[in-house]
Amino acid sequence: MAFHVEGLVAIIIFYLAILFVGIWAAWRTKNSRGDGDPREGIIVGGRDIGLIVGAFTMTATWVGGGYINGTAEAVYVSDYGLAWAQAPIGYSLSLIVGGLFFAKPMRSKGYVTMLDPFQQIYGKRMGGLLFIPALMGEMFWAAAILSALGATISVIVDIDINISVIVSALIATFYTLVGGLYSVAYTDVVQLFCIFIGLWISVPFAMTHPAVTDITVTAVREVYKEPWLGSIKAADVWSWLDSFFLLMLGGIPWQAYFQRVLSASSATYAQVLSFLAAFGCLVMAIPSVLIGAIGASTDWNQTSYEYEDPQNSNEADMILPIVLQYLCPPYISFFGLGAVSAAVMSSADSSILSASSMFARNIYQLSFRQNASEKEIVWVMRITVFIFGAAATAMALLAKSVYGLWYLSSDLVYIIIFPQLLCVLFIKGTNTYGSVAGYVFGALLRISGGEPYLYLQAFICYPGCYLDKNNNIYLQRFPFKTLSMVASFLANIAFSYLAKYLFEKGTLSPKFDFLNAVVAKHSEENMDKTTLVKNDNIVLSELAPVKPRQSLSLPATFTNKEAISDFDSSPESPDSESK
């Protein structure tokens, strides 16, 4: 393909627009924050993100390159189809579940990051361990997004994929550096409009191309490929359910999600944001589904595409930009490309900011430098934004499949962090010993099931497993990921109560409580209210806007009130003195 100057100009215009909005948001933040805590402004946007901007930024966090490209890819590929494009419904349900059960207790306590309750209940060491899968999840997610962006640009503009990935990552990293969550949130609003308009403008032109058969016909009848509606074979039902639960429940414990929840002006707003974003995710998936269906309904021999079929030429993961390139007029494809490429950054910047927020607060400040100044923490965040952005870029250049990286990033969060979050919020009496046991059980069971994307052979062949002769790797049909998650959850509870029983009954001497989780419950190793509040790690003003109250709702019924009430019971808190 020839180098397309028009396409490059379109991309530059959109990128400059996004960069301008990001810098403007940073300038606006600096002038409106005044003497406020800069850490609070960067991480949770001063807790004054409004309903409209909050809904847009939470939606845009999920609707990125992996979401739109991956959905189109799943619909297009033979043997999969719409039945296997689980992300739109899966992530929408995860936002609904998150809003119903998790948003209110997290926001009501005024936490700053997702890891705060873990360090408060399980201690700073366990918080450091849980940071590892959280960090890896964010990095895999950002890498998948940047990889999709590079593929999109390289197909239509015909420039080197490495250059497109690096330039995109630099722009996203720059405005995240200067503006934090404010810049990310306001650019998300622009990016969401871009992706919506860009894709919807392209769909009518692609659908009316002479090489495209009516998609209502190809939905149920094989023309060029198997029907794009797809089907779920009896042997694959358990595997389908495993992937669906992974997306639905594994989509909750992400710092990128809770960063929006914790930036809301109230707990109720945090819940509403989740519900609005769930609706937004479904709406934004529609054009991607249609583009995937159009790709499956096209006779590519009638187009200028150089191969017989994108799937046969191993370009199924780029079906969306290929449709834009070969089935739309040049000015439409370039506009769509510019809009989509700018919008793809909306998730990459969120993941980079999330990872740096957790490191600066939960690892650097709470674990090593509890008396660090505000300026020092801000600079640590800026440095780690650059480091994590570079790491995500490096992984993006090695990406194999958009959907593969997408699932892999959710695996780590679903199996290890989700059961820990359930325990710390809703199960009374869990402790560090149980948390370590759950962590180990979940990780070992997940690794034992193998990972084809990493060419990791399975150690345990669960019922229904079979050998993939192409890669000589055993693939699992059994829902072993959900099994690993449940095992991690039960291990946490069982070992927590076992440790508590053995120490309290005197079976084990107090000197063996080396984690200070049962006998020495209030030692300085336990990240309790003294560490979090008294040392000014959580600013008391962060707790003021929302007062926890008793509720008859289902989440309140099962909430671990002992953990949630730690701040309220502090005798040294100004709030408690004024009551």
Side-chain angles (χ1 to χ4, degrees):
M1 290 184 295
F3 181 79
H4 298 289
V5 178
E6 301 92 338
L8 184 61
V9 171
I11 294 174
I12 291 174
I13 291 174
F14 276 102
Y15 274 29
L16 288 177
I18 294 297
L19 187 60
F20 171 78
V21 172
I23 295 174
W24 170 82
W27 172 82
R28 179 179 180 274
T29 302
K30 185 177 181 180
N31 286 275
S32 63
R33 188 168 60 216
D35 298 328
D37 187 350
R39 297 169 300 179
E40 185 179 347
I42 292 176
I43 299 177
V44 291
R47 300 195 192 274
D48 63 355
I49 298 294
L51 189 62
I52 302 299
V53 174
F56 274 100
T57 186
M58 189 175 287
T59 303
T61 299
W62 294 121
V63 183
Y67 189 91
I68 60 174
N69 280 32
T71 300
E73 176 188 353
V75 174
Y76 166 74
V77 173
S78 300
D79 297 328
Y80 284 89
L82 183 61
W84 287 87
Q86 300 172 312
I89 296 178
Y91 279 126
S92 295
L93 287 176
S94 83
L95 286 166
I96 293 174
V97 174
L100 286 173
F101 298 99
F102 295 89
K104 191 169 186 178
M106 289 290 287
R107 178 60 186 92
S108 294
K109 287 313 305 167
Y111 292 129
V112 180
T113 72
M114 179 185 69
L115 295 182
D116 280 357
F118 297 117
Q119 289 194 299
Q120 183 182 7
I121 304 301
Y122 296 149
K124 61 187 179 185
R125 294 173 180 171
M126 197 62 218
L129 277 176
L130 290 169
F131 171 72
I132 297 173
L135 172 66
M136 294 179 69
E138 297 289 357
M139 290 298 95
F140 279 131
W141 176 259
I145 292 160
L146 290 173
S147 172
L149 176 58
T152 302
I153 296 176
S154 64
V155 166
I156 296 186
V157 185
D158 195 28
I159 62 175
D160 185 70
I161 187 171
N162 295 342
I163 295 177
S164 60
V165 169
I166 292 171
V167 172
S168 303
L170 283 174
I171 293 176
T173 301
F174 178 75
Y175 69 69
T176 304
L177 271 173
V178 297
L181 186 61
Y182 280 104
S183 290
V184 170
Y186 281 97
T187 53
D188 280 348
V189 175
V190 178
Q191 289 161 343
L192 204 61
F193 274 114
C194 287
I195 198 170
F196 185 80
I197 296 173
L199 288 183
W200 273 115
I201 285 179
S202 305
V203 166
F205 289 94
M207 194 174 291
T208 55
H209 191 279
V212 178
T213 303
D214 188 347
I215 62 172
T216 59
V217 175
T218 56
V220 294
R221 184 162 59 89
E222 181 174 348
V223 180
Y224 308 112
K225 299 175 71 68
E226 295 181 8
W228 59 264
L229 283 180
S231 61
I232 305 171
K233 299 176 182 177
D236 296 326
V237 169
W238 288 111
S239 176
W240 188 93
L241 289 173
D242 198 24
S243 298
F244 184 76
F245 282 117
L246 184 151
L247 292 171
M248 183 176 70
L249 301 179
I252 296 172
W254 289 77
Q255 169 63 11
Y257 167 66
F258 282 111
Q259 198 151 26
R260 273 77 185 158
V261 167
L262 299 175
S263 69
S265 55
S266 70
T268 301
Y269 266 31
Q271 291 182 295
V272 175
L273 289 182
S274 299
F275 302 145
L276 291 176
F279 175 75
C281 283
L282 281 177
V283 172
M284 297 300 292
I286 296 175
S288 290
V289 170
L290 293 175
I291 289 176
I294 291 169
S297 308
T298 301
D299 180 4
W300 291 101
N301 292 322
Q302 297 184 35
T303 68
S304 57
Y305 183 66
E306 55 266 42
Y307 303 106
E308 180 182 354
D309 181 83
Q311 184 173 351
N312 295 336
S313 57
N314 296 319
E315 291 185 335
D317 58 333
M318 295 190 288
I319 187 62
L320 188 143
I322 288 174
V323 167
L324 292 178
Q325 168 71 1
Y326 294 100
L327 302 181
C328 296
Y331 63 93
I332 294 296
S333 65
F334 293 147
F335 183 85
L337 167 70
V340 171
S341 60
V344 164
M345 291 190 294
S346 65
S347 294
D349 55 17
S350 299
S351 293
I352 293 169
L353 179 63
S354 298
S356 63
S357 300
M358 289 187 291
F359 177 84
R361 173 172 170 75
N362 300 103
I363 303 301
Y364 184 82
Q365 182 184 11
L366 295 184
S367 297
F368 298 108
R369 291 273 296 165
Q370 296 178 12
N371 295 319
S373 66
E374 296 176 357
K375 186 176 181 181
E376 181 180 346
I377 298 301
V378 169
W379 273 106
V380 168
M381 285 194 62
R382 288 173 176 168
I383 293 171
T384 51
V385 162
F386 178 79
I387 293 174
F388 291 146
T393 303
M395 284 188 287
L397 300 178
L398 303 174
K400 179 184 175 182
S401 169
V402 174
Y403 236 45
L405 269 178
W406 203 356
Y407 276 157
L408 185 58
S409 63
S410 294
D411 273 13
L412 301 169
V413 177
Y414 175 52
I415 293 168
I416 296 177
I417 300 183
F418 178 69
Q420 301 273 353
L421 186 63
L422 281 177
C423 289
V424 81
L425 290 181
F426 304 125
I427 306 298
K428 182 178 180 180
T430 57
N431 54 48
T432 313
Y433 295 103
S435 180
V436 171
Y439 190 108
V440 173
F441 267 69
L444 288 178
L445 285 174
R446 173 61 188 90
I447 294 173
S448 69
E451 179 50 60
Y453 293 105
L454 298 178
Y455 296 97
L456 178 63
Q457 192 65 270
F459 300 115
I460 300 177
C461 187
Y462 292 94
C465 74
Y466 63 97
L467 180 66
D468 181 6
K469 295 182 180 179
N470 293 328
N471 297 317
N472 199 31
I473 291 180
Y474 281 97
L475 302 180
Q476 308 283 1
R477 285 196 174 103
F478 187 81
F480 75 101
K481 296 175 185 179
T482 301
L483 174 66
S484 302
M485 185 275 291
V486 173
S488 176
F489 176 67
L490 296 178
N492 192 335
I493 299 173
F495 279 86
S496 291
Y497 281 96
L498 177 62
K500 184 178 180 181
Y501 174 81
L502 292 177
F503 281 116
E504 290 183 350
K505 291 295 182 181
T507 306
L508 290 178
S509 172
K511 65 181 181 181
F512 293 114
D513 186 13
F514 62 95
L515 293 179
N516 298 317
V518 180
V519 179
K521 187 176 181 180
H522 300 289
S523 71
E524 62 183 10
E525 284 295 323
N526 188 13
M527 192 65 61
D528 60 3
K529 60 188 176 186
T530 303
T531 305
L532 287 173
V533 177
K534 198 173 182 179
N535 288 342
D536 198 32
N537 290 316
I538 287 184
V539 183
L540 288 175
S541 62
E542 295 172 357
L543 307 179
V546 181
K547 299 292 184 180
R549 61 185 179 85
Q550 296 296 327
S551 172
L552 297 178
S553 64
L554 187 59
T557 304
F558 294 98
T559 298
N560 183 351
K561 295 182 177 62
E562 182 184 71
I564 297 300
S565 63
D566 277 351
F567 289 106
D568 300 327
S569 62
S570 174
E572 302 179 23
S573 170
D575 289 342
S576 62
E577 293 176 2
S578 63
K579 288 180 182 177

